Amino acid sequence: ASFAHRDELTDLADTFNDLLGRLEASVARERRFTANAAHELMNPLAALRSDAEVALRRPRTDEAYRDVLGRVVEESERMAASVEGLLHLARAEALARTPEARIDLSALVLTRVERLSALAQAAGLTLTTDVDPGVRLAAQPAPLVQIIDNLVENAVKYTPSGGSIRVSLTHRGKGAACSGAARLVVDDTGIGFDGEADRLFDRFYRSDAPGVQARPGTGLGLAVVKAVAEAYGGHVGCASDGPGKGARFWAELPCVGEE
């Protein structure tokens, strides 16, 4: 009996230690997030103050004032983008897994891709779709729009002119049991990546690969995709054959079957 008693205490201790470990990791992640968020907002604020202080040191020409105001607008837009990204992320992470009305994800994907086609066309890209009809999810439309838009916009941003993007939606495991999953995949012929698949969905992460830092971004779009997918019991992933060889990003979400 004594051995059983020690085994039970050991199991309890292991469970408690595991809980403490997860809490410690969570606190560490939140601390990093706070530091990163402060850094992202402080940089444009510092630039705004510096431009304003320099402009006020002595009278300047109208052209010089216009140059300063132009930089102020640029930094303000950068800061606004960071704040907007943080708001989207906070909403995504706060999503509760409660019963939702069924929505037609197939129709939503086609609608969003049509609206984003002008963005792709302006970038000199070919945007195509391959969407299974009748794929339904128990979810809110707005968070799913965040998944679709962020994945497509990410592909547009990192695919050079003349390239192509393909958006596909499939439904695995169709049937009365409703145990299948909707899989949204965005393939591109863009700059690709190497050894970063486990970090690209991290909050504020931006690769140091050539061509990435030169493009505007907050490093929050893919984090929002991950947060929404996980809130609905799904998961995300990405893959690439290497730099310059394109990339594939996907989000997989539980389905409710067809009506």
Side-chain angles (χ1 to χ4, degrees), residues 13-259:
D14 289 344
T15 301
F16 186 67
N17 287 335
D18 183 58
L19 174 62
L20 289 179
R22 292 199 304 270
L23 287 174
E24 184 178 3
S26 178
V27 170
R29 284 195 302 271
E30 293 309 312
R31 285 176 176 169
R32 288 195 300 270
F33 173 66
T34 301
N36 289 336
H39 177 74
E40 288 294 319
L41 294 176
M42 282 302 299
N43 279 349
L45 280 173
L48 285 173
R49 180 170 181 172
S50 175
D51 284 338
E53 287 177 344
V54 169
L56 291 172
R57 283 176 186 168
R58 58 179 176 80
R60 299 177 182 276
T61 65
D62 290 347
E63 183 178 356
Y65 281 125
R66 281 194 295 271
D67 288 341
V68 171
L69 290 175
R71 291 195 297 273
V72 167
V73 170
E74 289 179 2
E75 293 299 334
S76 298
E77 289 175 345
R78 176 183 167 190
M79 188 162 54
S82 295
V83 172
E84 184 179 17
L86 287 170
L87 286 173
H88 286 316
L89 183 60
R91 289 168 184 157
E93 293 181 337
L95 280 175
R97 293 184 61 183
T98 55
E100 305 283 355
R102 294 184 178 190
I103 69 165
D104 188 335
L105 182 59
S106 302
L108 184 63
V109 169
L110 291 173
T111 298
R112 297 312 304 174
V113 171
E114 182 180 0
R115 293 186 179 182
L116 292 167
S117 61
L119 180 68
Q121 185 176 3
L125 305 174
T126 301
L127 180 59
T128 59
T129 59
D130 182 10
V131 175
D132 282 357
V135 179
R136 295 184 177 277
L137 296 181
Q140 304 171 33
L144 297 183
V145 166
Q146 289 294 318
I147 290 181
I148 300 164
D149 286 10
N150 277 309
L151 288 181
V152 176
E153 289 172 357
N154 187 72
V156 171
K157 183 185 299 185
Y158 297 114
T159 302
S161 178
S164 62
I165 299 169
R166 180 173 177 266
V167 180
S168 60
L169 177 68
T170 57
H171 186 184
R172 299 189 294 104
K174 294 183 180 181
C178 300
S179 59
R183 183 176 173 86
L184 176 69
V185 181
V186 178
D187 290 293
D188 66 59
T189 60
I191 63 175
F193 56 87
D194 184 21
E196 297 178 290
D198 59 341
R199 299 194 63 191
L200 291 177
F201 289 93
D202 289 351
R203 296 176 292 190
F204 290 113
Y205 179 74
R206 298 197 75 208
S207 172
D208 291 328
V212 174
Q213 294 294 328
R215 292 170 170 84
T218 61
L220 290 172
L222 293 178
V224 171
V225 172
K226 179 181 179 181
V228 173
E230 292 182 347
Y232 284 123
H235 63 272
V236 297
C238 59
S240 173
D241 289 333
K245 297 182 179 180
R248 165 174 288 191
F249 287 82
W250 66 84
E252 194 163 293
L253 300 165
C255 278
V256 296
E258 297 180 272
E259 294 179 331

